[in-house]
Amino acid sequence: MKKLIVLFTLILFRTNIFSQKDTINNPVPTQAQLEWSRMDFYLFIHFGPNTFTDLEWGKGTEPEDVFNPTNLDCGQWCRIAKAAGAKGIIITAKHHDGFCLWPSKYSTHTVARSKWRNGKGDVLRELSDSCKKYGLKMGVYLSPWDRNHPKYGTPEYNDVFVNMMKEVVTNYGPYFEFWWDGANGEGPNGKKQVYDWHRFEQTMRSIAPNTVVFSDIGPDIRWVGNENGIAGDPNWNLLDTAGFTRGEGAPPNDTLNHGNVNGKNWIPAECDVSIRPGWFYHAEQDDSVKTPQELFQMYLKSVGPGANLLLNVPPDRNGLITGFDSAALVGFKKLRDESFKKPVTEKRFSAPSSTYNIDLHQSKKINCIVLKEDIATGQKIKSFTVQLQLKNITVQTLHESTVGKKRIITFPSTEIDLLTIDINDTKAKPLLSEVSAYLIDENLIEQQ
Ligand code: FUL
Protein backbone atom coordinates (compact mmCIF):
# COMPACT_ATOMS: atom_id res chain seq x y z
CA MET A 1 0.00 0.00 0.00
CA LYS A 2 2.83 2.38 1.03
CA LYS A 3 4.56 1.64 -2.27
CA LEU A 4 1.37 2.42 -4.15
CA ILE A 5 1.01 5.78 -2.38
CA VAL A 6 4.63 6.67 -3.17
CA LEU A 7 4.09 5.67 -6.82
CA PHE A 8 0.87 7.66 -7.00
CA THR A 9 2.55 10.75 -5.49
CA LEU A 10 5.44 10.38 -7.94
CA ILE A 11 3.05 10.20 -10.90
CA LEU A 12 1.19 13.26 -9.65
CA PHE A 13 4.46 15.12 -9.15
CA ARG A 14 5.65 14.19 -12.66
CA THR A 15 2.37 15.24 -14.25
CA ASN A 16 2.65 18.54 -12.44
CA ILE A 17 6.17 19.15 -13.63
CA PHE A 18 5.20 18.34 -17.21
CA SER A 19 2.12 20.48 -17.19
CA GLN A 20 4.13 23.29 -15.61
CA LYS A 21 6.83 22.85 -18.24
CA ASP A 22 4.17 23.13 -20.91
CA THR A 23 2.64 26.27 -19.46
CA ILE A 24 5.72 28.07 -18.18
CA ASN A 25 6.79 30.50 -20.86
CA ASN A 26 4.37 29.06 -23.37
CA PRO A 27 2.14 32.02 -24.15
CA VAL A 28 -0.99 31.16 -26.11
CA PRO A 29 -3.23 33.37 -28.25
CA THR A 30 -6.56 34.68 -27.05
CA GLN A 31 -9.61 33.70 -29.10
CA ALA A 32 -9.56 37.17 -30.71
CA GLN A 33 -5.88 36.79 -31.66
CA LEU A 34 -6.53 33.32 -33.05
CA GLU A 35 -9.37 34.60 -35.22
CA TRP A 36 -7.20 37.53 -36.31
CA SER A 37 -4.41 35.12 -37.32
CA ARG A 38 -6.78 33.34 -39.68
CA MET A 39 -7.49 36.56 -41.59
CA ASP A 40 -4.12 36.58 -43.43
CA PHE A 41 -4.88 39.56 -45.68
CA TYR A 42 -6.98 42.73 -45.41
CA LEU A 43 -6.93 46.31 -46.66
CA PHE A 44 -5.77 49.58 -45.15
CA ILE A 45 -7.46 52.83 -46.25
CA HIS A 46 -5.56 56.11 -45.81
CA PHE A 47 -8.04 58.88 -46.52
CA GLY A 48 -8.42 62.43 -45.23
CA PRO A 49 -7.24 66.02 -45.90
CA ASN A 50 -3.88 64.66 -47.17
CA THR A 51 -5.76 63.12 -50.09
CA PHE A 52 -6.62 66.65 -51.20
CA THR A 53 -3.41 68.49 -50.27
CA ASP A 54 -0.96 65.91 -51.63
CA LEU A 55 0.75 65.67 -48.24
CA GLU A 56 1.67 62.53 -46.30
CA TRP A 57 1.69 64.21 -42.90
CA GLY A 58 -0.87 67.00 -42.73
CA LYS A 59 0.03 69.93 -40.51
CA GLY A 60 -3.31 70.07 -38.74
CA THR A 61 -3.89 73.63 -39.99
CA GLU A 62 -5.72 72.60 -43.17
CA PRO A 63 -9.21 74.14 -43.39
CA GLU A 64 -11.94 71.51 -42.94
CA ASP A 65 -13.34 72.36 -46.38
CA VAL A 66 -10.25 70.85 -47.95
CA PHE A 67 -11.89 67.48 -47.35
CA ASN A 68 -14.45 67.22 -50.15
CA PRO A 69 -14.70 63.86 -51.94
CA THR A 70 -16.94 64.34 -54.95
CA ASN A 71 -18.30 60.82 -55.20
CA LEU A 72 -17.49 58.88 -52.03
CA ASP A 73 -18.65 55.28 -52.19
CA CYS A 74 -17.51 52.95 -49.40
CA GLY A 75 -19.51 50.22 -51.13
CA GLN A 76 -17.00 50.42 -53.99
CA TRP A 77 -14.11 49.96 -51.52
CA CYS A 78 -15.87 46.91 -50.10
CA ARG A 79 -16.65 45.35 -53.50
CA ILE A 80 -12.99 45.74 -54.45
CA ALA A 81 -11.86 44.30 -51.12
CA LYS A 82 -14.12 41.30 -51.69
CA ALA A 83 -12.87 40.83 -55.26
CA ALA A 84 -9.31 40.93 -53.89
CA GLY A 85 -10.10 38.25 -51.31
CA ALA A 86 -9.36 40.66 -48.45
CA LYS A 87 -11.14 39.80 -45.20
CA GLY A 88 -11.58 43.32 -43.85
CA ILE A 89 -10.78 47.04 -44.02
CA ILE A 90 -8.96 49.27 -41.53
CA ILE A 91 -9.48 53.02 -42.04
CA THR A 92 -7.55 56.05 -40.81
CA ALA A 93 -10.42 57.55 -38.81
CA LYS A 94 -7.96 60.22 -37.62
CA HIS A 95 -4.42 60.65 -38.98
CA HIS A 96 -1.69 62.85 -37.47
CA ASP A 97 -3.41 66.04 -38.77
CA GLY A 98 -6.21 65.39 -36.27
CA PHE A 99 -9.04 65.54 -38.83
CA CYS A 100 -11.86 63.19 -37.81
CA LEU A 101 -13.67 61.33 -40.57
CA TRP A 102 -16.67 61.13 -38.25
CA PRO A 103 -18.49 64.05 -36.55
CA SER A 104 -16.69 63.75 -33.22
CA LYS A 105 -18.01 65.67 -30.23
CA TYR A 106 -14.46 65.99 -28.94
CA SER A 107 -12.91 68.00 -31.77
CA THR A 108 -13.84 70.86 -34.04
CA HIS A 109 -11.60 69.56 -36.81
CA THR A 110 -14.06 67.07 -38.31
CA VAL A 111 -16.25 66.27 -41.31
CA ALA A 112 -19.08 68.16 -39.59
CA ARG A 113 -17.22 71.45 -40.19
CA SER A 114 -16.59 70.70 -43.87
CA LYS A 115 -18.73 71.56 -46.88
CA TRP A 116 -18.78 67.88 -47.79
CA ARG A 117 -22.44 66.89 -47.83
CA ASN A 118 -23.18 70.15 -46.04
CA GLY A 119 -21.45 68.92 -42.93
CA LYS A 120 -23.76 65.91 -42.68
CA GLY A 121 -21.31 63.36 -44.08
CA ASP A 122 -19.84 60.56 -41.94
CA VAL A 123 -17.23 58.28 -43.51
CA LEU A 124 -17.18 55.87 -40.56
CA ARG A 125 -20.95 55.44 -40.73
CA GLU A 126 -20.79 54.63 -44.45
CA LEU A 127 -17.87 52.27 -44.14
CA SER A 128 -19.38 50.51 -41.14
CA ASP A 129 -22.68 49.98 -43.00
CA SER A 130 -20.91 48.84 -46.17
CA CYS A 131 -18.64 46.39 -44.32
CA LYS A 132 -21.68 44.83 -42.68
CA LYS A 133 -23.50 44.66 -46.04
CA TYR A 134 -20.57 42.96 -47.78
CA GLY A 135 -19.55 40.69 -44.90
CA LEU A 136 -16.20 42.35 -44.26
CA LYS A 137 -14.62 42.98 -40.88
CA MET A 138 -13.81 46.56 -39.99
CA GLY A 139 -10.91 48.10 -38.13
CA VAL A 140 -9.99 51.63 -37.12
CA TYR A 141 -6.69 53.51 -37.07
CA LEU A 142 -6.72 56.36 -34.56
CA SER A 143 -3.52 58.37 -34.40
CA PRO A 144 -2.57 59.32 -30.84
CA TRP A 145 -0.39 62.08 -32.29
CA ASP A 146 -2.65 65.03 -33.14
CA ARG A 147 -1.23 68.15 -34.77
CA ASN A 148 -4.51 70.02 -34.50
CA HIS A 149 -6.13 69.42 -31.14
CA PRO A 150 -5.75 72.45 -28.81
CA LYS A 151 -5.54 70.13 -25.78
CA TYR A 152 -2.65 68.16 -27.22
CA GLY A 153 0.34 68.26 -24.88
CA THR A 154 -1.84 68.50 -21.75
CA PRO A 155 -3.30 65.76 -19.52
CA GLU A 156 -6.78 66.62 -20.88
CA TYR A 157 -5.80 65.29 -24.28
CA ASN A 158 -5.74 61.80 -22.75
CA ASP A 159 -9.45 62.34 -21.93
CA VAL A 160 -10.04 63.46 -25.51
CA PHE A 161 -8.35 60.36 -26.92
CA VAL A 162 -10.25 58.04 -24.57
CA ASN A 163 -13.53 59.74 -25.48
CA MET A 164 -12.79 59.43 -29.17
CA MET A 165 -12.05 55.72 -28.77
CA LYS A 166 -15.34 55.29 -26.96
CA GLU A 167 -17.16 57.26 -29.64
CA VAL A 168 -15.86 55.25 -32.60
CA VAL A 169 -16.21 51.89 -30.85
CA THR A 170 -19.73 52.53 -29.60
CA ASN A 171 -21.13 54.17 -32.70
CA TYR A 172 -19.50 52.25 -35.53
CA GLY A 173 -18.10 48.96 -34.10
CA PRO A 174 -17.58 46.15 -33.58
CA TYR A 175 -14.05 46.14 -34.91
CA PHE A 176 -11.68 43.26 -35.46
CA GLU A 177 -8.66 45.51 -34.91
CA PHE A 178 -7.79 48.91 -33.44
CA TRP A 179 -4.60 50.64 -34.62
CA TRP A 180 -2.38 52.94 -32.54
CA ASP A 181 0.31 54.47 -34.70
CA GLY A 182 3.72 54.81 -33.07
CA ALA A 183 4.64 57.97 -35.05
CA ASN A 184 4.72 60.85 -32.65
CA GLY A 185 5.64 64.51 -32.61
CA GLU A 186 4.59 67.90 -31.41
CA GLY A 187 1.09 69.29 -31.20
CA PRO A 188 -0.09 72.71 -32.40
CA ASN A 189 1.54 74.46 -29.42
CA GLY A 190 4.85 72.74 -29.92
CA LYS A 191 4.09 70.55 -26.90
CA LYS A 192 4.62 66.81 -26.71
CA GLN A 193 2.02 64.55 -25.17
CA VAL A 194 2.58 62.19 -22.26
CA TYR A 195 0.20 59.44 -23.27
CA ASP A 196 -1.68 57.48 -20.62
CA TRP A 197 -1.18 54.16 -22.39
CA HIS A 198 -2.31 52.18 -19.39
CA ARG A 199 -5.65 53.97 -19.44
CA PHE A 200 -5.94 53.62 -23.23
CA GLU A 201 -5.40 49.86 -22.94
CA GLN A 202 -7.88 49.53 -20.09
CA THR A 203 -10.44 51.52 -22.07
CA MET A 204 -10.12 49.25 -25.09
CA ARG A 205 -10.31 46.13 -22.94
CA SER A 206 -13.47 47.30 -21.24
CA ILE A 207 -15.35 48.62 -24.29
CA ALA A 208 -14.07 46.20 -26.93
CA PRO A 209 -12.70 43.02 -25.33
CA ASN A 210 -12.86 41.11 -28.63
CA THR A 211 -10.96 43.71 -30.64
CA VAL A 212 -7.23 43.12 -31.07
CA VAL A 213 -5.15 46.22 -30.43
CA PHE A 214 -2.14 46.98 -32.62
CA SER A 215 0.86 49.15 -31.85
CA ASP A 216 4.65 48.75 -32.12
CA ILE A 217 4.49 46.45 -29.10
CA GLY A 218 0.87 45.35 -28.94
CA PRO A 219 -0.82 44.57 -26.49
CA ASP A 220 -2.24 42.14 -29.07
CA ILE A 221 -0.54 42.71 -32.43
CA ARG A 222 2.95 44.10 -33.09
CA TRP A 223 4.44 46.15 -35.90
CA VAL A 224 6.72 44.02 -38.08
CA GLY A 225 9.54 46.58 -37.98
CA ASN A 226 9.37 47.75 -41.62
CA GLU A 227 6.84 49.12 -44.10
CA ASN A 228 7.89 46.84 -46.97
CA GLY A 229 5.64 43.86 -46.28
CA ILE A 230 8.43 41.61 -45.05
CA ALA A 231 8.10 39.42 -41.96
CA GLY A 232 11.14 37.78 -40.38
CA ASP A 233 12.44 34.26 -40.76
CA PRO A 234 12.21 32.95 -38.09
CA ASN A 235 8.97 34.65 -37.16
CA TRP A 236 7.90 34.16 -33.53
CA ASN A 237 4.44 35.20 -32.39
CA LEU A 238 6.08 36.05 -29.06
CA LEU A 239 7.50 39.32 -27.81
CA ASP A 240 9.11 40.67 -24.67
CA THR A 241 7.71 44.12 -23.96
CA ALA A 242 9.04 44.80 -20.45
CA GLY A 243 11.12 47.97 -20.43
CA PHE A 244 9.92 49.07 -23.86
CA THR A 245 7.44 51.75 -24.86
CA ARG A 246 5.62 52.63 -28.05
CA GLY A 247 7.31 54.84 -30.64
CA GLU A 248 10.93 55.73 -29.96
CA GLY A 249 11.19 53.40 -26.98
CA ALA A 250 10.12 50.35 -28.99
CA PRO A 251 12.38 47.29 -29.38
CA PRO A 252 14.81 47.37 -32.35
CA ASN A 253 13.15 46.79 -35.74
CA ASP A 254 14.99 43.49 -36.09
CA THR A 255 13.40 42.24 -32.85
CA LEU A 256 9.95 43.33 -34.01
CA ASN A 257 10.63 41.58 -37.31
CA HIS A 258 11.52 38.21 -35.75
CA GLY A 259 9.81 38.34 -32.36
CA ASN A 260 11.48 36.66 -29.35
CA VAL A 261 11.80 32.89 -29.27
CA ASN A 262 11.20 32.90 -25.51
CA GLY A 263 9.07 36.03 -25.44
CA LYS A 264 6.67 36.33 -22.52
CA ASN A 265 3.68 37.61 -24.51
CA TRP A 266 1.72 36.34 -27.49
CA ILE A 267 2.01 39.35 -29.85
CA PRO A 268 2.09 38.29 -33.51
CA ALA A 269 3.33 40.51 -36.34
CA GLU A 270 1.34 42.45 -38.90
CA CYS A 271 2.94 43.74 -42.13
CA ASP A 272 1.55 47.16 -43.09
CA VAL A 273 2.58 48.24 -46.55
CA SER A 274 1.17 50.44 -49.31
CA ILE A 275 0.25 49.41 -52.84
CA ARG A 276 1.75 52.79 -53.87
CA PRO A 277 4.90 54.63 -52.75
CA GLY A 278 2.80 56.87 -50.42
CA TRP A 279 0.18 56.03 -47.83
CA PHE A 280 -2.22 58.69 -49.15
CA TYR A 281 -3.37 59.11 -52.74
CA HIS A 282 -1.18 61.18 -55.06
CA ALA A 283 -2.15 61.32 -58.75
CA GLU A 284 1.49 61.29 -59.84
CA GLN A 285 1.83 57.82 -58.28
CA ASP A 286 -0.83 56.28 -60.52
CA ASP A 287 1.90 54.66 -62.59
CA SER A 288 3.74 53.32 -59.52
CA VAL A 289 1.04 50.94 -58.29
CA LYS A 290 2.56 47.57 -57.44
CA THR A 291 1.91 44.88 -60.02
CA PRO A 292 0.00 41.67 -59.21
CA GLN A 293 3.34 39.83 -59.37
CA GLU A 294 4.94 42.24 -56.89
CA LEU A 295 1.95 41.87 -54.58
CA PHE A 296 2.24 38.10 -54.83
CA GLN A 297 5.96 38.29 -53.88
CA MET A 298 4.96 40.44 -50.95
CA TYR A 299 2.36 37.88 -49.91
CA LEU A 300 5.06 35.19 -49.91
CA LYS A 301 7.23 37.41 -47.68
CA SER A 302 4.52 38.43 -45.21
CA VAL A 303 1.86 35.73 -45.00
CA GLY A 304 4.59 33.29 -46.09
CA PRO A 305 6.47 33.44 -42.76
CA GLY A 306 3.21 33.50 -40.78
CA ALA A 307 2.34 37.20 -40.38
CA ASN A 308 -0.79 39.04 -41.57
CA LEU A 309 -0.68 41.41 -44.55
CA LEU A 310 -2.33 44.82 -44.16
CA LEU A 311 -2.23 46.30 -47.67
CA ASN A 312 -2.93 50.01 -48.03
CA VAL A 313 -5.07 51.08 -51.01
CA PRO A 314 -5.74 54.84 -50.78
CA PRO A 315 -8.92 56.25 -52.39
CA ASP A 316 -8.54 59.30 -54.64
CA ARG A 317 -10.16 62.75 -54.44
CA ASN A 318 -13.45 61.32 -55.71
CA GLY A 319 -13.46 59.04 -52.68
CA LEU A 320 -12.97 56.00 -54.91
CA ILE A 321 -10.25 53.40 -55.36
CA THR A 322 -8.80 53.94 -58.83
CA GLY A 323 -8.80 51.42 -61.66
CA PHE A 324 -5.00 51.16 -61.37
CA ASP A 325 -5.25 49.83 -57.82
CA SER A 326 -8.32 47.66 -58.31
CA ALA A 327 -6.83 46.00 -61.41
CA ALA A 328 -3.68 45.20 -59.43
CA LEU A 329 -5.74 43.78 -56.56
CA VAL A 330 -7.87 41.59 -58.79
CA GLY A 331 -4.72 40.37 -60.59
CA PHE A 332 -3.16 39.57 -57.21
CA LYS A 333 -6.23 37.54 -56.23
CA LYS A 334 -6.09 35.63 -59.54
CA LEU A 335 -2.44 34.71 -58.91
CA ARG A 336 -3.28 33.43 -55.41
CA ASP A 337 -6.20 31.43 -56.74
CA GLU A 338 -4.23 29.92 -59.60
CA SER A 339 -1.35 29.09 -57.27
CA PHE A 340 -3.18 27.63 -54.28
CA LYS A 341 -6.51 26.29 -55.51
CA LYS A 342 -5.30 22.84 -56.53
CA PRO A 343 -2.71 21.21 -54.28
CA VAL A 344 -0.54 18.47 -55.73
CA THR A 345 -0.92 16.81 -52.35
CA GLU A 346 -2.59 17.79 -49.09
CA LYS A 347 -2.47 16.03 -45.72
CA ARG A 348 -3.97 16.83 -42.34
CA PHE A 349 -2.60 15.45 -39.08
CA SER A 350 -4.21 15.18 -35.69
CA ALA A 351 -1.43 13.52 -33.67
CA PRO A 352 1.95 15.05 -32.83
CA SER A 353 4.96 13.35 -34.39
CA SER A 354 8.54 14.25 -35.19
CA THR A 355 8.46 12.87 -38.74
CA TYR A 356 5.74 13.20 -41.34
CA ASN A 357 5.94 11.17 -44.57
CA ILE A 358 3.75 12.20 -47.45
CA ASP A 359 3.72 9.63 -50.23
CA LEU A 360 2.58 11.00 -53.59
CA HIS A 361 2.40 7.44 -55.03
CA GLN A 362 3.67 8.74 -58.36
CA SER A 363 6.25 11.32 -59.42
CA LYS A 364 5.03 14.89 -59.58
CA LYS A 365 6.63 18.33 -59.83
CA ILE A 366 6.29 20.78 -56.94
CA ASN A 367 7.90 24.12 -56.07
CA CYS A 368 5.92 25.27 -53.05
CA ILE A 369 5.00 23.77 -49.69
CA VAL A 370 2.52 25.22 -47.20
CA LEU A 371 2.70 24.05 -43.58
CA LYS A 372 0.43 24.87 -40.67
CA GLU A 373 1.11 24.49 -36.96
CA ASP A 374 -1.76 24.31 -34.50
CA ILE A 375 -1.01 27.53 -32.59
CA ALA A 376 -4.02 27.39 -30.23
CA THR A 377 -1.70 25.79 -27.65
CA GLY A 378 1.29 28.00 -28.49
CA GLN A 379 4.00 28.23 -31.15
CA LYS A 380 6.49 25.44 -30.64
CA ILE A 381 8.41 24.43 -33.77
CA LYS A 382 11.89 25.98 -33.80
CA SER A 383 13.30 24.23 -36.83
CA PHE A 384 12.42 21.56 -39.35
CA THR A 385 13.82 19.89 -42.44
CA VAL A 386 12.02 19.11 -45.66
CA GLN A 387 13.35 16.25 -47.74
CA LEU A 388 12.26 16.01 -51.34
CA GLN A 389 12.72 12.46 -52.56
CA LEU A 390 12.37 10.60 -55.82
CA LYS A 391 12.71 6.82 -56.08
CA ASN A 392 14.27 6.62 -52.60
CA ILE A 393 16.89 9.24 -53.37
CA THR A 394 16.85 12.62 -51.64
CA VAL A 395 17.01 15.20 -54.39
CA GLN A 396 16.86 18.23 -52.15
CA THR A 397 16.93 19.04 -48.42
CA LEU A 398 15.54 22.34 -47.13
CA HIS A 399 16.50 23.56 -43.65
CA GLU A 400 13.80 25.82 -42.27
CA SER A 401 12.98 27.63 -39.03
CA THR A 402 9.53 28.42 -37.59
CA VAL A 403 6.12 27.30 -38.87
CA GLY A 404 3.41 29.15 -36.90
CA LYS A 405 -0.14 29.52 -38.22
CA LYS A 406 1.07 29.26 -41.83
CA ARG A 407 4.42 28.87 -43.49
CA ILE A 408 4.91 29.03 -47.25
CA ILE A 409 8.18 27.77 -48.68
CA THR A 410 9.11 28.08 -52.36
CA PHE A 411 12.00 26.47 -54.25
CA PRO A 412 12.86 25.62 -57.87
CA SER A 413 10.50 23.04 -59.37
CA THR A 414 11.51 19.55 -58.32
CA GLU A 415 10.16 16.16 -59.32
CA ILE A 416 9.35 14.02 -56.27
CA ASP A 417 7.32 11.04 -55.14
CA LEU A 418 7.89 11.38 -51.39
CA LEU A 419 7.96 14.37 -49.08
CA THR A 420 9.38 14.01 -45.58
CA ILE A 421 9.11 16.66 -42.89
CA ASP A 422 11.37 16.19 -39.85
CA ILE A 423 10.72 18.40 -36.85
CA ASN A 424 14.22 18.98 -35.49
CA ASP A 425 13.93 21.39 -32.60
CA THR A 426 10.92 22.39 -30.54
CA LYS A 427 10.00 24.36 -27.42
CA ALA A 428 7.37 21.80 -26.41
CA LYS A 429 5.42 19.04 -28.11
CA PRO A 430 4.10 20.63 -31.33
CA LEU A 431 1.33 19.67 -33.72
CA LEU A 432 1.91 20.16 -37.40
CA SER A 433 -1.70 20.19 -38.48
CA GLU A 434 -1.43 20.44 -42.26
CA VAL A 435 1.06 20.07 -45.09
CA SER A 436 0.24 20.75 -48.72
CA ALA A 437 2.38 21.03 -51.84
CA TYR A 438 1.80 23.04 -55.02
CA LEU A 439 3.23 23.67 -58.44
CA ILE A 440 2.91 27.40 -58.96
CA ASP A 441 3.99 29.52 -61.92
CA GLU A 442 7.79 29.40 -61.89
CA ASN A 443 7.96 33.13 -62.74
CA LEU A 444 6.30 33.97 -59.42
CA ILE A 445 9.15 32.47 -57.45
CA GLU A 446 12.07 34.76 -56.83
CA GLN A 447 15.41 33.05 -57.31
CA GLN A 448 17.06 32.89 -53.89
C1 FUL B 1 3.16 55.64 -39.98
C2 FUL B 1 2.52 56.97 -40.28
O1 FUL B 1 3.36 58.05 -39.93
C3 FUL B 1 2.21 56.96 -41.75
O2 FUL B 1 1.69 58.19 -42.20
C4 FUL B 1 1.22 55.84 -42.01
O3 FUL B 1 -0.01 56.13 -41.39
C5 FUL B 1 1.77 54.50 -41.51
C6 FUL B 1 0.81 53.38 -41.61
O4 FUL B 1 2.19 54.62 -40.17
O5 FUL B 1 3.66 55.58 -38.71
Side-chain angles (χ1 to χ4, degrees):
M1 187 61 195
K2 250 189 182 171
K3 270 188 185 167
L4 257 180
I5 291 173
V6 171
L7 193 69
F8 188 65
T9 323
L10 266 177
I11 288 171
L12 253 184
F13 188 59
R14 253 180 89 87
T15 318
N16 258 340
I17 288 179
F18 281 138
S19 54
Q20 264 178 15
K21 205 178 160 205
D22 244 29
T23 49
I24 286 174
N25 197 21
N26 179 34
V28 295
T30 61
Q31 189 56 30
Q33 286 173 316
L34 209 50
E35 281 168 28
W36 173 89
S37 280
R38 295 190 190 112
M39 289 181 70
D40 277 0
F41 161 58
Y42 36 92
L43 299 189
F44 213 175
I45 294 272
H46 274 66
F47 190 50
N50 295 338
T51 312
F52 302 86
T53 54
D54 251 341
L55 294 175
E56 277 292 312
W57 279 7
K59 297 187 176 64
T61 49
E62 297 78 16
E64 287 80 26
D65 279 346
V66 155
F67 182 81
N68 196 12
T70 47
N71 198 14
L72 180 91
D73 181 4
C74 295
Q76 189 243 16
W77 306 354
C78 290
R79 286 190 292 279
I80 291 169
K82 286 297 264 191
K87 299 285 190 316
I89 296 181
I90 300 181
I91 186 167
T92 52
K94 176 178 82 118
H95 203 249
H96 311 323
D97 57 27
F99 185 80
C100 302
L101 294 182
W102 80 102
S104 176
K105 283 195 282 181
Y106 303 98
S107 168
T108 54
H109 197 45
T110 80
V111 278
R113 294 278 178 112
S114 75
K115 277 201 206 108
W116 178 58
R117 295 189 180 158
N118 298 319
K120 298 277 180 288
D122 184 343
V123 184
L124 288 195
R125 172 86 287 132
E126 289 197 28
L127 183 58
S128 172
D129 291 349
S130 297
C131 282
K132 281 178 188 132
K133 178 171 166 193
Y134 289 97
L136 288 163
K137 294 190 176 179
M138 183 174 167
V140 155
Y141 162 117
L142 202 67
S143 170
W145 181 24
D146 192 317
R147 303 177 93 182
N148 171 274
H149 208 285
K151 294 274 193 276
Y152 193 84
T154 73
E156 287 121 289
Y157 177 76
N158 288 326
D159 300 334
V160 170
F161 196 70
V162 163
N163 283 328
M164 284 182 173
M165 286 196 287
K166 287 183 179 165
E167 222 177 16
V168 297
V169 168
T170 318
N171 295 336
Y172 313 102
Y175 302 124
F176 77 96
E177 181 170 337
F178 210 88
W179 232 82
W180 289 333
D181 198 325
N184 199 3
E186 294 167 357
N189 309 325
K191 287 187 198 159
K192 276 206 157 190
Q193 180 70 27
V194 181
Y195 298 114
D196 193 344
W197 289 115
H198 183 63
R199 187 173 161 210
F200 297 170
E201 279 189 32
Q202 278 186 328
T203 303
M204 281 309 296
R205 285 290 183 259
S206 69
I207 61 174
N210 298 321
T211 301
V212 293
V213 177
F214 167 100
S215 83
D216 298 329
I217 54 168
D220 301 311
I221 310 298
R222 73 173 190 269
W223 185 48
V224 77
N226 63 69
E227 293 180 338
N228 306 319
I230 302 174
D233 173 13
N235 176 25
W236 288 99
N237 290 298
L238 310 174
L239 190 71
D240 283 323
T241 54
F244 294 108
T245 56
R246 294 170 175 98
E248 279 158 18
N253 288 350
D254 192 55
T255 305
L256 294 174
N257 196 236
H258 293 284
N260 299 115
V261 52
N262 292 318
K264 298 266 184 302
N265 315 287
W266 185 273
I267 308 180
E270 179 184 80
C271 299
D272 61 316
V273 54
S274 188
I275 199 167
R276 289 162 170 257
W279 290 102
F280 285 88
Y281 178 80
H282 308 286
E284 75 274 11
Q285 295 180 355
D286 278 349
D287 56 4
S288 322
V289 173
K290 292 188 174 70
T291 63
Q293 289 74 15
E294 286 171 328
L295 293 173
F296 188 84
Q297 295 297 338
M298 194 184 273
Y299 180 84
L300 293 181
K301 289 178 187 155
S302 53
V303 177
N308 274 5
L309 171 61
L310 171 58
L311 179 63
N312 180 62
V313 185
D316 64 8
R317 292 180 184 180
N318 294 311
L320 299 170
I321 293 173
T322 77
F324 301 103
D325 308 70
S326 61
L329 284 172
V330 171
F332 172 39
K333 168 77 160 63
K334 194 162 168 249
L335 292 181
R336 291 184 344 262
D337 284 350
E338 286 167 359
S339 303
F340 298 117
K341 247 190 187 147
K342 239 183 119 230
V344 172
T345 183
E346 187 173 33
K347 285 270 171 313
R348 291 200 170 83
F349 308 100
S350 49
S353 170
S354 52
T355 298
Y356 299 82
N357 286 313
I358 299 158
D359 195 341
L360 275 66
H361 302 294
Q362 51 180 301
S363 71
K364 284 184 178 169
K365 261 192 178 180
I366 63 164
N367 57 12
C368 176
I369 298 174
V370 180
L371 304 101
K372 291 182 184 172
E373 180 177 350
D374 180 1
I375 56 166
T377 57
Q379 184 184 7
K380 299 164 185 173
I381 300 173
K382 281 173 136 176
S383 69
F384 64 100
T385 314
V386 181
Q387 281 190 58
L388 306 174
Q389 295 171 55
L390 182 66
K391 298 193 176 94
N392 294 323
I393 293 170
T394 300
V395 281
Q396 206 180 334
T397 306
L398 310 166
H399 299 280
E400 306 292 338
S401 61
T402 46
V403 176
K405 61 137 171 167
K406 187 184 266 189
R407 178 69 198 275
I408 309 175
I409 301 166
T410 57
F411 43 89
S413 299
T414 310
E415 190 139 343
I416 64 156
D417 54 21
L418 183 69
L419 184 63
T420 305
I421 316 274
D422 285 305
I423 310 292
N424 300 326
D425 195 6
T426 66
K427 290 181 66 179
K429 204 187 261 178
L431 174 60
L432 194 65
S433 56
E434 204 178 305
V435 176
S436 45
Y438 302 84
L439 181 64
I440 68 179
D441 181 351
E442 191 80 22
N443 296 317
L444 293 173
I445 297 175
E446 266 183 357
Q447 299 309 322
Q448 281 136 20

